[in-house]
Amino acid sequence: AQSVTQLDSQVPVFEEAPVELRCNYSSSVSVYLFWYVQYPNQGLQLLLKYLSGSTLVKGINGFEAEFNKSQTSFHLRKPSVHISDTAEYFCAVSVNGDKIIFGKGTRLHILP
Amino acid sequence: GAVVSQHPSRVICKSGTSVKIECRSLDFQATTMFWYRQFPKQSLMLMATSNEGSKATYEQGVEKDKFLINHASLTLSTLTVTSAHPEDSSFYICSAPRLTGGSTDTQYFGPGTRLTVL
């Protein structure tokens, strides 16, 4: 079975500062990895995904993530956050891209 | 691009009534759809896999007689919450994978349906 751990339930960051949201996964087989964002009172949006190839994945809104197989991690980063980045961020895994297992989410608070 | 819709977006019902939620893939066919439930300030939990032409597959702990799933066509799956109770109040989200060239491409999520049971 697969599982996802997001160690930080909340991350406060000052505007224009860099941010890293941590994600670790567990799986006995190769997986696809995703980061989704959920803005207040809205549905999920795909930020980025790793299927294969380059371990550094660039997504929308200036976010990127790096797949590290040895550390079973897929941390999300942004060099400079904006107030509009305030949202809940979910890391997720899938064996074949269908059934997706989500982490508990990390709430990103942007401080003025 | 691919779009998944849900209807209704919000529903309030009395305890003991049944509520039907529709999930549609608007510009692609989906033989499989997924239903998730999200409680306030929590993650999405997979409830079941909806399969066109066959029975749904439920995750452990999800009552199949309470959450009826019907995959009526290649673009429509419905989730019926039967005899709803206040503890069923939640945000229900569906998703559908779009297949490209025989392999799964991207999972598209619906905007969700907020169910409130009084």
Side-chain angles (χ1 to χ4, degrees):
Chain A
Q2 292 73 44
S3 67
V4 180
T5 302
Q6 291 181 248
L7 292 172
D8 306 305
S9 59
Q10 295 188 61
V11 173
V13 183
F14 285 105
E15 195 169 11
E16 298 184 7
V19 68
E20 178 180 83
L21 305 183
R22 296 181 294 169
C23 172
N24 289 88
Y25 69 93
S26 175
S27 176
S28 58
V29 298
S30 296
V31 294
Y32 301 145
L33 294 158
F34 308 85
W35 274 99
Y36 286 88
V37 59
Q38 187 177 36
Y39 296 104
N41 301 311
Q42 294 187 31
L44 286 175
Q45 291 182 35
L46 179 66
L47 268 181
L48 49 80
K49 60 184 177 183
Y50 172 78
L51 302 181
S52 64
S54 174
T55 57
L56 183 62
V57 181
K58 293 189 182 298
I60 62 172
N61 300 340
F63 284 93
E64 64 180 32
E66 186 158 18
F67 169 61
N68 188 319
K69 188 174 181 179
S70 63
Q71 297 185 7
T72 60
S73 67
F74 191 55
H75 301 331
L76 180 70
R77 303 186 184 97
K78 185 169 182 178
S80 176
V81 297
H82 189 267
I83 194 75
S84 60
D85 293 323
T86 297
E88 189 88 20
Y89 292 80
F90 294 98
C91 182
V93 299
S94 175
V95 172
N96 58 7
D98 279 357
K99 188 171 163 179
I100 295 180
I101 307 300
F102 287 86
K104 291 189 175 182
T106 298
R107 182 165 296 276
L108 180 60
H109 289 288
I110 307 301
L111 307 172
Chain B
V3 177
V4 173
S5 70
Q6 283 185 240
H7 178 79
S9 59
R10 188 182 294 267
V11 57
I12 301 173
C13 69
K14 293 182 179 180
S15 185
T17 61
S18 294
V19 175
K20 180 186 285 188
I21 303 170
E22 294 185 347
C23 176
R24 293 181 185 272
S25 56
L26 297 183
D27 60 356
F28 66 100
Q29 295 182 333
T31 56
T32 304
M33 292 185 178
F34 300 91
W35 287 96
Y36 293 83
R37 180 168 54 185
Q38 185 182 27
F39 289 109
K41 299 187 185 301
Q42 295 189 29
S43 187
L44 284 77
M45 297 301 295
L46 180 64
M47 298 174 66
T49 303
S50 174
N51 304 299
E52 192 272 335
S54 65
K55 292 182 179 180
T57 307
Y58 291 82
E59 296 300 304
Q60 192 173 9
V62 178
E63 300 176 60
K64 62 180 181 180
D65 294 330
K66 180 169 184 62
F67 299 99
L68 301 179
I69 291 173
N70 180 29
H71 203 127
S73 73
L74 288 172
T75 60
L76 173 64
S77 174
T78 60
L79 168 68
T80 301
V81 183
T82 62
S83 187
H85 287 90
E87 57 266 30
D88 298 324
S89 298
S90 188
F91 195 51
Y92 292 86
I93 302 170
C94 72
S95 71
R98 184 182 72 177
L99 301 177
T100 301
S103 63
T104 299
D105 186 2
T106 300
Q107 190 84 224
Y108 291 93
F109 286 83
T113 296
R114 186 162 301 282
L115 170 63
T116 302
V117 184
L118 303 176

